[in-house]
């Protein structure tokens, strides 16, 4: 990285040499959010090639931002965890996200729709506390997408894991959420609420779960930052 850098002694330029290569800050978002396995990181950056992901992880490791450790009892499987220097970047990542939420035009953000990234983020941020005890299965149907990308299932254990499936897991569905990808992304980004979406979101099944959707739904961590006035 250094040989293509800014060749300045300024700490900002030195930090930029580490962090401002393509995809690096997006990868940092995933690491800050808690992803540690290669495949989980890939799901958070689905349009980043595995080769480039490996390269960026190696660069961050060399820079002292990430440390790679083999998982005990799982030969050839590694965890990628933030070092103290990496953890110090959390407020930097958050500040960039809040800036983007506030100042980048919504219509530009909503051009970059990606159902796999949306559902992965929803899974990660979902709040299970308003849901019933035991297992809750929620199927999302994006009617504007081709059949191969239309259906997604969130499987929520009240006191356990939240799993995401892109194939039918075989469980009874408690709530069907039928909408379009643009509307669901806008809700996740905090630009719209389930209530204000109105007829664009159809809820079928357990209405008690449906009424609490805005509460349990995993919104973007940057959704709390209001957009600037036009």
């Amino acid at each position: 990285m250094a040989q293509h850098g800014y060749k300045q002694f300024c700490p900002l330029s030195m930090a930029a040499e580490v962090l401002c290569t393509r995809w690096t800050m997006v990868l940092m978002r995933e690491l800050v959010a808690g992803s540690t396995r290669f495949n989980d990181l890939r799901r958070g950056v689905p349009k980043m090639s595995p080769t480039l992901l490996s390269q960026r992880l190696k660069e961050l490791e060399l820079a002292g931002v990430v440390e790679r450790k083999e998982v005990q009892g799982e030969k050839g499987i590694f965890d990628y965890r933030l070092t103290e220097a990496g953890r110090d970047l959390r407020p930097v990542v958050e500040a960039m996200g809040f800036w983007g939420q506030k100042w980048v035009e919504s219509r530009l953000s909503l051009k970059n729709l990606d159902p796999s990234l949306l559902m992965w983020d929803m899974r990660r941020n979902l709040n299970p506390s308003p849901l019933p005890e035991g297992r809750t299965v929620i199927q999302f149907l994006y009617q504007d997408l081709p059949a191969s990308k239309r259906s997604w299932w969130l499987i929520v254990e009240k006191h356990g894991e939240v799993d995401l499936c892109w194939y039918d897991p075989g469980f009874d569905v408690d709530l069907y959420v039928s909408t379009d990808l643009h509307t669901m992304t806008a809700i996740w980004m905090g630009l719209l609420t389930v209530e204000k979406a109105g007829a664009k979101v159809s809820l079928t099944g357990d209405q008690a779960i449906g009424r609490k959707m805005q509460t349990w739904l995993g919104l973007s961590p940057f959704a709390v930052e209001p957009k600037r006035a036009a």
Side-chain angles (χ1 to χ4, degrees), residues 88-145:
D88 265 1
L89 285 168
R90 175 182 290 274
V92 178
V93 173
E94 291 174 345
M96 285 187 68
F98 286 130
W99 185 90
Q101 176 77 0
K102 183 176 182 179
W103 294 104
V104 176
E105 290 186 45
S106 304
R107 62 183 179 84
L108 297 178
S109 299
L110 292 172
K111 284 183 178 179
N112 301 313
L113 301 180
D114 185 330
S116 60
L117 177 59
L118 173 65
M119 295 304 301
W120 181 246
D121 277 340
M122 285 168 56
R123 179 211 67 85
R124 181 162 53 197
N125 293 296
L126 189 141
N127 172 21
S129 59
L131 296 174
E133 292 293 329
R135 178 193 297 135
T136 300
V137 180
I138 304 161
Q139 183 177 354
F140 286 78
L141 300 105
Y142 296 112
Q143 302 296 351
D144 56 323
L145 298 185

Side-chain angles (χ1 to χ4, degrees), residues 6 21 29 46 51 71 86 111 137 150-152 185 194 217 230:
Y6 301 104
T21 50
R29 178 199 65 197
T51 301
V71 178
K111 284 183 178 179
V137 180
R150 186 174 302 154
S151 295
W152 302 79
T185 304
V194 175
L217 189 62

Side-chain angles (χ1 to χ4, degrees), residues 66-97:
V66 165
E67 59 181 354
R68 185 181 79 146
K69 290 186 176 179
E70 189 168 19
V71 178
Q72 190 172 4
E74 298 185 46
K75 188 175 181 180
I77 303 297
F78 295 90
D79 264 342
Y80 296 87
R81 296 190 179 274
L82 294 172
T83 61
E84 182 181 1
R87 293 191 294 274
D88 265 1
L89 285 168
R90 175 182 290 274
V92 178
V93 173
E94 291 174 345
M96 285 187 68

Side-chain angles (χ1 to χ4, degrees), residues 150-200:
R150 186 174 302 154
S151 295
W152 302 79
W153 290 260
L154 287 173
I155 305 164
V156 187
E157 298 289 347
K158 174 85 174 199
H159 304 290
E161 297 290 325
V162 179
D163 288 328
L164 170 66
C165 293
W166 57 89
Y167 56 86
D168 189 344
F171 299 126
D172 291 337
V173 175
D174 298 290
L175 182 71
Y176 295 90
V177 180
S178 181
T179 184
D180 62 89
L181 184 58
H182 185 282
T183 297
M184 196 67 248
T185 304
I187 292 172
W188 179 80
M189 291 179 64
L191 305 173
L192 189 64
T193 63
V194 175
E195 182 179 6
K196 288 182 179 178
K200 291 183 177 180

